[in-house]
Amino acid sequence: MPIKIQNDLPVKEILEKENIFVMDEHRAMHQDIRPIQILILNLMPLKEETELQLLRSLSNTPLQVDVTFMKVSTHEAKNTSMSHLNKFYLGFEEVRNQKFDGLIITGAPVEQMEFEEVDYWEELVEIMDWSVHNVTSTIFLCWGAQAGLYHFYGLPKVQLDKKMFGLFWHRVANRKIPLVRGFDDAFLAPHSRHTEVPMDLIRKCPELTVLAESEEAGLFLAMAKEGRQIFVMGHPEYDRVTLDTEYKRDLSKGLPIEIPVNYYKDNDPNNKPDLLWRATANNLYTNWLNYYVYQSTPYDLYGTPFK
């Protein structure tokens, strides 16, 4: 899939070196099709790293995707330059009057705080409410999934005894749903979090359909509103070394952290980790774009009201 991004976005060169089809603005203007409009609310601290991971994940269908990055205005980013944010990111006020085919709300390193204590919580609630009427389908990732489940369905998160950290085995729970089409019966996916939404509460919520879960890690994938809301409790977008970087970062800070589960060969951090979840991640995002965005979205986003 050609991804349309700004010509000088720094990760563009990396994507091109990986043979990912990146289309610049000039070429996109000369294609007589309507691209899929995807908005990414990037709440992760290392924003350029997350940009690369998500753009890589969105690059596996024949659709043309026009990606817009959004930031929250009620929080000052400390790990990304203001020049990068000002050049490549929009604030909510700048997109409020637009409609999008898809929205991705990322995770954030604030999971051990109460939702209402997060400085941008009210702004995030406003964005989530706005998405109901202005976005065809929204993916909520990790803490973003916990925030969405809490806001829309009143499901609380609970503190874990230790960090859920590593690659965990999951099983597909409902093969009739197109979102998991092509998934293996059992698959590995990364988790990196200190909190979770208990599975018994999720199962008791009639609006939610569980699509994949783990005996160890709990929920991986659920959906509501016939796919208009999709909750992913893990980090399928992570690249090969993300967990390695997090592990060694926490070690260097003297934080309590165990070796990520099922990640290093022979459980030895000196070994290069195998990339064992990329096919699942590609499948997930491809199915989302095809079945819940492209197949569902109106050609004229502004001429057809959202339900």
Side-chain angles (χ1 to χ4, degrees), residues 252-266:
S252 69
K253 293 181 178 180
L255 298 174
I257 186 67
E258 296 185 2
I259 293 174
V261 176
N262 298 321
Y263 185 56
Y264 299 111
K265 183 179 179 182
D266 300 325

Side-chain angles (χ1 to χ4, degrees), residues 66-240:
D66 189 344
V67 175
T68 300
F69 289 103
M70 181 167 65
K71 61 184 178 182
V72 288
S73 61
T74 44
H75 175 79
E76 182 178 344
K78 298 178 180 179
N79 297 283
T80 304
S81 70
M82 287 303 299
S83 61
H84 183 87
L85 291 173
N86 291 336
K87 187 171 186 177
F88 300 111
Y89 281 70
L90 299 178
F92 179 50
E93 290 301 320
E94 297 173 272
V95 303
R96 178 191 293 275
N97 296 321
Q98 300 180 40
K99 293 184 183 293
F100 290 86
D101 299 297
L103 166 65
I104 298 174
I105 297 177
T106 73
V110 294
E111 57 186 310
Q112 298 191 77
M113 301 170 62
E114 296 298 326
F115 290 115
E116 291 82 2
E117 293 177 355
V118 176
D119 56 5
Y120 53 81
W121 176 249
E122 291 185 6
E123 183 178 4
L124 178 59
V125 165
E126 189 176 7
I127 292 169
M128 290 191 290
D129 287 340
W130 166 86
S131 73
V132 173
H133 302 288
N134 294 275
V135 178
T136 303
S137 179
T138 300
I139 284 185
F140 302 81
L141 293 173
C142 199
W143 180 82
Q146 296 181 16
L149 290 170
Y150 176 73
H151 175 60
F152 288 113
Y153 303 102
L155 301 183
K157 60 183 173 69
V158 298
Q159 185 77 27
L160 296 168
D161 294 334
K162 63 178 181 179
K163 187 175 184 178
M164 191 72 66
F165 189 49
L167 301 180
F168 295 89
W169 284 103
H170 307 76
R171 295 197 70 86
V172 173
N174 195 330
R175 283 212 163 274
K176 294 182 180 180
I177 304 298
L179 190 60
V180 291
R181 188 166 292 171
F183 275 49
D184 292 329
D185 288 340
F187 61 90
L188 285 166
H191 289 261
S192 178
R193 50 187 168 81
H194 292 89
T195 56
E196 70 176 5
V197 179
M199 282 303 305
D200 60 334
L201 297 181
I202 293 169
R203 291 193 185 97
K204 289 177 182 177
C205 184
E207 294 92 345
L208 294 171
T209 300
V210 175
L211 301 179
E213 61 181 296
S214 166
E215 291 184 3
E216 296 176 272
L219 181 70
F220 176 72
L221 183 62
M223 60 179 265
K225 301 184 184 299
E226 298 181 331
R228 300 239 9 235
Q229 294 176 336
I230 293 168
F231 303 95
V232 184
M233 198 60 72
H235 279 288
E237 77 284 357
Y238 271 9
D239 63 27
R240 182 193 304 272

